[in-house]
């Protein structure tokens, strides 16, 4: 069985396979499987950065009582939100900036180095995102669990973050892969495979990004409670840097449950995505 987890913080150097010794807090979240049933694989060097024993699922059987998420400043120096009153998140590693609504709207910006990952049965990360933000931590009001980051119906109603770093494939392929893989991981994985429909990648040219975007429609096949959404939506944006590495921005959001993000709200968040430059 595989798992999703929080890693705080992830190592800073792409070539390193060890995690910073400062990371003493970790939370095992949900037993959510992931596999390649969608026949997609993302260009994701992040997965090679969290492979030491500290990420092993065997070391933690449940949420750590003392674990917490590091808070990021609402507006990192050097950039201001493009929407007045919103919070800015900056992914220096992946060269993205984006904004999310204010804390009063139930949005939380996580520390830039906090990593959210899905792992295989051996506890090895398969997909990882950093520079994340979440909407309505605790998920469904009738079954709240603020430590269950990423668990459908119990974690958040939406999660945003950045990923990538490799050179394999095309931008179009990676945009589709990231949308499909995150939808598959967050809404059932190998244990309860969701139905995934990934659309064709389309050009995305705004905010200094000349890349591609793709959308995955997710139908959840296992709903043990009404808190688990019947459907979900995933959007990705892929850009290539001058060194040939490809980087992605991803949002996955519950649909068909109370307080779910609307298409217009998701579009407004996506409209803030911009490049930090290379």
């Amino acid at each position: 069985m595989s798992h999703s987890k929080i890693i705080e913080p992830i190592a800073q150097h792409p070539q390193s396979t060890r995690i910073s010794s400062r990371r003493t807090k970790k939370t095992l979240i949900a037993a959510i499987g992931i596999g390649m049933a969608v026949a997609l694989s993302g260009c994701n060097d992040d997965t090679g950065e969290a492979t030491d024993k500290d990420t092993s699922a065997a070391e933690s059987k449940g949420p750590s009582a003392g674990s917490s998420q590091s808070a990021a400043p609402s507006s990192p120096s050097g950039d201001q939100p493009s929407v007045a009153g919103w919070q800015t998140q900056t992914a220096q590693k992946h060269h993205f900036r984006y904004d999310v609504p204010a804390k009063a709207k139930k949005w939380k910006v996580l520390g830039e180095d906090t990593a959210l990952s899905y792992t295989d049965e051996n506890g090895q990360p398969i997909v990882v995102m950093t520079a994340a933000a979440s909407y309505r931590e605790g998920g469904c009001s009738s079954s709240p669990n603020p430590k269950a980051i990423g668990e459908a119906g119990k974690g958040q109603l939406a999660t945003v973050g950045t990923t990538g770093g490799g050179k394999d494939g095309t931008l179009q392929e990676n945009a589709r892969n990231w949308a499909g893989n995150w939808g598959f991981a967050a809404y059932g994985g190998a244990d309860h495979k969701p139905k995934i429909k990934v659309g064709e990648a389309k050009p995305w040219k705004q905010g200094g990004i000349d890349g591609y975007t793709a959308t995955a429609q997710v139908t959840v096949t296992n709903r043990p409670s009404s808190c688990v959404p019947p459907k979900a939506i995933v959007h990705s944006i892929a850009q290539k840097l001058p060194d040939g590495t490809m980087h992605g921005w991803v949002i996955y959001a519950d649909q068909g449950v109370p307080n779910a993000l609307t298409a217009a709200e998701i579009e407004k968040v996506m409209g803030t995505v911009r490049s930090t430059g290379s």
Side-chain angles (χ1 to χ4, degrees):
M1 181 176 290
S2 55
H3 306 270
S4 65
K5 62 170 66 176
I6 301 175
I7 306 168
E8 297 189 84
I10 199 165
Q12 293 297 304
H13 305 292
Q15 69 272 22
S16 174
T17 59
R18 292 198 58 79
I19 297 173
S20 170
S21 60
R22 291 186 296 107
R23 176 163 48 78
T24 58
K25 303 173 184 177
K26 63 177 180 291
T27 302
L28 176 65
I29 304 158
I32 303 176
I34 182 170
M36 292 299 104
V38 286
L40 299 174
S41 59
C43 184
N44 192 2
D45 270 9
D46 270 343
T47 60
E49 292 189 9
T51 56
D52 71 353
K53 292 181 181 179
D54 199 29
T55 66
S56 172
E59 292 186 14
S60 178
K61 300 301 182 183
S64 171
S67 65
S68 63
Q69 297 161 26
S70 56
S74 59
S75 181
S77 60
D79 193 57
Q80 295 295 320
S82 57
V83 178
W86 282 28
Q87 308 172 80
T88 298
Q89 176 63 287
T90 301
Q92 298 289 355
K93 176 179 178 180
H94 295 301
H95 299 269
F96 284 102
R97 279 196 180 103
Y98 66 92
D99 304 325
V100 296
K103 293 178 181 179
K105 298 295 184 180
K106 307 298 184 181
W107 280 88
K108 180 178 182 179
V109 174
L110 305 183
E112 182 182 349
D113 297 328
T114 298
L116 309 183
S117 73
Y118 284 86
T119 64
D120 61 20
E121 64 274 10
N122 297 317
Q124 302 304 311
I126 297 173
V127 289
V128 182
M129 64 166 55
T130 53
S134 62
Y135 170 62
R136 285 191 174 269
E137 284 196 355
C140 181
S141 60
S142 65
S143 183
N145 184 357
K147 293 181 180 179
I149 300 280
E151 182 178 359
K154 295 183 180 179
Q156 288 70 52
L157 297 191
T159 303
V160 192
T162 61
T163 190
K167 297 183 178 181
D168 295 337
T170 66
L171 272 179
Q172 295 96 315
E173 290 168 343
N174 278 283
R176 298 186 73 243
N177 290 346
W178 286 320
N181 285 344
W182 281 98
F184 187 77
Y187 295 98
D191 291 342
H192 302 289
K193 297 176 183 177
K195 296 178 181 178
I196 307 286
K197 182 179 180 181
V198 184
E200 292 300 316
K202 299 178 181 180
W204 180 273
K205 296 183 179 182
Q206 65 181 66
I209 297 170
D210 186 0
Y212 283 85
T213 183
T215 298
Q217 302 282 349
V218 183
T219 300
V220 179
T221 59
N222 181 54
R223 299 188 65 207
S225 78
S226 60
C227 287
V228 178
K231 294 183 180 296
I233 189 82
V234 188
H235 296 287
S236 67
I237 299 171
Q239 67 172 334
K240 180 184 286 188
L241 300 185
D243 65 1
T245 59
M246 284 170 274
H247 302 261
W249 179 95
V250 177
I251 180 171
Y252 58 94
D254 297 5
Q255 298 289 278
V257 293
N259 299 310
L261 291 178
T262 66
E265 289 172 323
I266 293 172
E267 183 178 358
K268 189 170 182 179
V269 171
M270 290 186 71
T272 70
V273 178
R274 56 217 186 261
S275 175
T276 62
S278 57

